[in-house]
Amino acid sequence: MTANKQEILAAFSEGLKKFDLDSSAVSARIEDDGILTLEGSTKTWQTAVDIGHMAAKLPGVHNVVSDLTAPGAVPLKRKDSAPYRAMGVVDKADVVIIGGGVTGCAIARQLTQYRVNILLLEKEEDLCEGSSKANNGMVHSGYDSKPASLKARLNVRGNAQYTKWSQQLGFKFNRTGSFVCGFGEEDRAAIEGLYENGVTNGVPGIEIISGNRAREMEPGLSDSVQFALWTPSAGYAEPYEVTLALAENAVDNGARFRLGCEVVDILTKDGRVQGVVTTQGVIPCDCVINAAGLYADEIAEMAGDRFYSIHPRRGALVIFDKENKGKIRTFSGVAPNNYTKGGGPEETPEGTLLWGPSALEVPDKEDRDVDREDMEFILEKGMRLTKGIDPRSVITYFSGNRAATYSEDFVIQNSRKIKGFIHVAGIQSPGFASAPAIAELVESLYLGQNPDTPINTAFNPIRKPEPAFRDCTQEERDRLIAENPAYGRVVCRCETVTEAEILRAVHGKIPARTMDAVKRRTRAGMGRCQSGFCGSRVLELLAREWKIDPSEVTLKGKGSEILVRPSRNTGRNAE
Ligand SMILES: Cc1cc2nc3c(=O)[nH]c(=O)nc-3n(C[C@H](O)[C@H](O)[C@H](O)COP(=O)(O)OP(=O)(O)OC[C@H]3O[C@@H](n4cnc5c(N)ncnc54)[C@H](O)[C@@H]3O)c2cc1C
């Protein structure tokens, strides 16, 4: 391996030459297992990222740990765990899952098929606060992941399972297909390349079709589209709905959730997991599953097994008013470049037109800005692909970060250093589409280490969601109101959300404590006025039900309080 290591480092030095650096700026070292670690600094973050990607592509490199800094870069930071250790043992579990995104919740549900004590820990005040809340909800077909990658395999398998998932868990899922559009012969090679990729990856029904045939299926497609890659298996779900459905079904089957509970250290002894230290105290356990999204590398570092770095890739999304419902139903994009699928217009299962995402490497995992370039990129691309949509009907925009490793593949494996520690990292797109297959793979890793785990014979995969008032017929509405008059009080006019549904969310299986948590469960505030009308009423209900002062109600947890001083007419301050 020594000669090999030298060859890798020589190839790295050769690769560095194309970056505008002085020779001492970046250094690399390589371990026997092919993990290359980078140190030093670069003038821009993009250069640091490009060097990481260059290094990851070198033959013999398994993954890259980058400690490169650049202006704006946020170094890995560890909280002092001593005060939290001092809180002592507060709970115990067989399996602790770190992260309440779609990945963690899917794993929790999957493992409830066995008789194990499962505890999911989430640092935020609600589930689905990371990448899982800010994505397109597209269940990709799998044409663009690199053949033989874990992403390719799990995407195609995960996609195939979505119909069953939606039937079992009661979330909306539209398998409408997707187009990647070609505007001229200059796009032909890229689209044929995607087609070949898709065939190799086993994408069902994939074909290249004419622009006219594409417009027969999707009349809203631009007249300038000449041909398109068509994949009928692509579909759409609402990511927050899926995540919550998984969590609720996991709760029904015995899993437990602790919110506002940040893991600050991993306890190990003699190469085995012993437990975790959290901001709520110490929790002994035998197995830790690291599904911490953007922070998976920091959790791996806590376990003494960091062999990848996560670099955040920001993506902004734009939402249009529902007046556009039905104008375009399937995703349409252009041939992607580099590491993004390219983004484009789509309609969510709720009938909301959604455009984006953009893709920008950012140095800070918490950077969720949307800037002018993001907006221009999204709107220009969307306008080129569609017709009949007025960009002035945009009602909101937001962004989220993809949790990418430099090898740009998922990292799902047992730790080679710490028994009982499972990495589920690098879950960038298509992580949402792949979630069912990711959960299955983690199940098999867990059972590999714990082969005698008893089956949970009471496991019930079915979740029956309560009806959404907006989807009910008049007859059903009348019946609901007769049973509970709170159904007769519409709080959110844009999305027709009633007081009864908000109370249901507040007292649900994973109780909603914040404005955003109510929004994700009910859609109150998601419509045209973006909570301008219903926000104050939701706030009052949260304060009343949680018996707190209205000034303590937050958008998404501590530090995001809505009212800056007591308001004249609400709650306890009314007198
Ligand atoms: C703009 C954008 C568009 C995308 N579009 C798609 C798409 O259309 N289709 C698709 O398949 N994928 C898409 N993706 C990718 C998809 O969103 C992710 O793959 C998926 O959401 C990852 O889920 P996760 O649970 O792994 O991570 P997350 O949702 O980020 O969850 C990780 C959780 O861990 C918690 N956490 C972190 N550290 C700690 C700690 N120390 N203690 C406790 N909790 C902790 C976080 O708060 C977070 O809630 C997109 C991503 C982005 C950003």
Side-chain angles (χ1 to χ4, degrees):
M1 186 70 192
T2 320
N4 249 345
K5 279 189 187 174
Q6 277 163 1
E7 280 166 23
I8 294 169
L9 290 178
F12 177 73
S13 301
E14 195 50 39
L16 264 192
K17 283 186 189 156
K18 66 173 184 243
F19 298 95
D20 183 22
L21 293 163
D22 62 68
S23 55
S24 60
V26 172
S27 67
R29 62 171 197 279
I30 182 132
E31 309 297 331
D32 287 342
D33 53 5
I35 305 304
L36 190 101
T37 300
L38 300 172
E39 276 166 1
S41 63
T42 57
K43 283 192 200 122
T44 68
W45 178 249
Q46 187 59 52
T47 306
V49 172
D50 290 344
I51 292 173
H53 280 137
M54 179 274 286
K57 282 196 191 117
L58 296 174
V61 170
H62 177 57
N63 223 320
V64 170
V65 172
S66 175
D67 286 327
L68 288 177
T69 62
V74 182
L76 224 80
K77 44 183 187 287
R78 290 275 294 271
K79 270 199 172 119
D80 176 12
S81 66
Y84 305 114
R85 283 171 196 260
M87 290 174 166
V89 171
V90 290
D91 201 341
K92 69 174 191 199
D94 299 324
V95 180
V96 159
I97 300 167
I98 307 175
V102 70
T103 306
C105 293
I107 295 167
R109 176 192 187 239
Q110 193 79 16
L111 291 183
T112 55
Q113 293 179 92
Y114 302 91
R115 280 219 318 268
V116 274
N117 181 350
I118 298 160
L119 180 62
L120 185 145
L121 307 178
E122 168 54 52
K123 70 179 167 70
E124 304 296 336
E125 289 301 316
D126 192 24
L127 301 171
C128 204
E129 281 285 4
S131 306
S132 298
K133 85 167 165 192
N135 66 57
N136 294 61
M138 184 173 177
V139 179
H140 295 279
S141 58
Y143 57 75
D144 55 355
S145 295
K146 214 163 115 198
S149 65
L150 200 49
K151 269 186 184 177
R153 178 157 67 84
L154 299 186
N155 182 172
V156 175
R157 187 168 167 78
N159 172 302
Q161 288 164 291
Y162 254 86
T163 305
K164 183 169 155 207
W165 250 24
S166 76
Q167 287 163 351
Q168 290 183 334
L169 295 164
F171 62 78
K172 296 186 190 71
F173 174 54
N174 283 355
R175 204 182 276 283
T176 56
S178 78
F179 300 105
V180 182
C181 301
F183 292 86
E185 283 313 301
E186 67 280 7
D187 293 330
R188 179 76 64 183
I191 287 184
E192 283 176 353
L194 291 177
Y195 170 77
E196 297 299 334
N197 238 18
V199 171
T200 312
N201 291 349
V203 174
I206 187 166
E207 56 177 325
I208 296 178
I209 60 173
S210 70
N212 284 340
R213 200 175 140 212
R215 272 181 294 276
E216 273 166 31
M217 295 191 236
E218 183 57 82
L221 263 192
S222 159
D223 292 333
S224 13
V225 172
Q226 291 186 10
F227 54 94
L229 180 77
W230 164 243
T231 54
S233 60
Y236 312 86
E238 306 286 356
Y240 51 88
E241 210 192 334
V242 176
T243 306
L244 205 74
L246 288 161
E248 288 190 354
N249 190 241
V251 168
D252 283 343
N253 286 299
R256 294 176 303 122
F257 287 69
R258 271 180 182 257
L259 305 180
C261 185
E262 181 178 352
V263 172
V264 292
D265 210 353
I266 310 287
L267 301 172
T268 61
K269 195 174 165 199
D270 302 330
R272 279 206 72 95
V273 162
Q274 299 279 299
V276 292
V277 183
T278 78
T279 47
Q280 295 180 0
V282 176
I283 304 177
C285 63
D286 304 322
C287 174
V288 168
I289 298 174
N290 172 13
L294 288 158
Y295 294 93
D297 53 351
E298 312 201 7
I299 299 288
E301 170 73 16
M302 291 176 197
D305 189 23
R306 180 167 70 117
F307 62 92
Y308 46 85
S309 283
I310 305 288
H311 61 281
R313 187 178 303 126
R314 196 178 79 190
L317 294 159
V318 169
I319 286 191
F320 287 72
D321 190 82
K322 270 191 179 164
E323 70 181 22
N324 294 290
K325 189 170 177 170
K327 286 190 179 163
I328 183 153
R329 291 203 63 232
T330 50
F331 167 84
S332 54
V334 297
N337 57 18
N338 266 349
Y339 301 104
T340 163
K341 294 188 195 325
E346 67 178 66
E347 187 183 89
T348 72
E350 284 284 349
T352 305
L353 188 61
L354 182 149
W355 288 11
S358 51
L360 181 73
E361 301 290 352
V362 289
D364 180 356
K365 290 173 178 176
E366 294 302 320
D367 176 348
R368 295 203 191 90
D369 290 348
V370 176
D371 54 34
R372 190 188 170 134
E373 284 77 30
D374 290 318
M375 291 296 278
E376 281 172 0
F377 169 83
I378 293 167
L379 293 175
E380 273 168 25
K381 187 190 265 186
M383 293 308 289
R384 187 170 179 228
L385 281 157
T386 60
K387 57 187 177 210
I389 293 161
D390 185 347
R392 284 172 303 183
S393 57
V394 166
I395 58 168
T396 192
Y397 47 81
F398 55 91
S399 76
N401 284 309
R402 304 160 178 96
T405 63
Y406 287 104
S407 56
E408 298 293 336
D409 201 2
F410 299 157
V411 177
I412 305 174
Q413 61 187 70
N414 288 318
S415 166
R416 285 166 296 175
K417 292 187 178 162
I418 305 295
K419 226 168 162 0
F421 190 88
I422 301 177
H423 297 272
V424 191
I427 311 298
Q428 55 164 308
S429 189
F432 178 65
S434 310
I438 293 176
E440 274 182 353
L441 177 52
V442 175
E443 174 191 4
S444 70
L445 291 174
Y446 180 78
L447 292 181
Q449 293 208 14
N450 304 277
D452 300 326
T453 312
I455 301 275
N456 174 9
T457 47
F459 175 75
N460 178 6
I462 307 298
R463 165 187 172 265
K464 283 214 165 63
E466 300 282 348
F469 193 75
R470 65 184 170 282
D471 296 331
C472 291
T473 61
Q474 192 53 49
E475 233 176 26
E476 289 164 339
R477 288 180 176 191
D478 291 343
R479 187 179 47 74
L480 284 172
I481 295 168
E483 281 167 13
N484 177 0
Y487 276 106
R489 291 192 282 276
V490 172
V491 174
C492 170
R493 291 183 191 172
C494 305
E495 296 286 319
T496 323
V497 182
T498 62
E499 184 177 309
E501 290 166 284
I502 291 169
L503 297 181
R504 226 163 59 188
V506 170
H507 300 295
K509 285 184 183 138
I510 314 274
R513 289 188 161 268
T514 65
M515 302 280 287
D516 275 357
V518 169
K519 176 156 98 175
R520 276 191 287 274
R521 285 155 183 74
T522 64
R523 288 189 68 82
M526 280 199 193
R528 178 178 292 189
C529 86
Q530 288 290 297
S531 89
F533 173 76
C534 64
S536 59
R537 185 76 190 112
V538 174
L539 186 144
E540 273 174 19
L541 289 170
L542 274 166
R544 188 185 82 193
E545 295 302 306
W546 288 112
K547 300 188 178 33
I548 55 176
D549 191 87
S551 64
E552 293 170 58
V553 175
T554 67
L555 184 68
K556 54 186 172 88
K558 228 175 167 29
S560 64
E561 287 75 15
I562 314 274
L563 301 176
V564 288
R565 57 177 180 273
S567 101
R568 258 188 313 151
N569 297 320
T570 51
R572 287 190 225 155
N573 302 307
E575 59 281 332

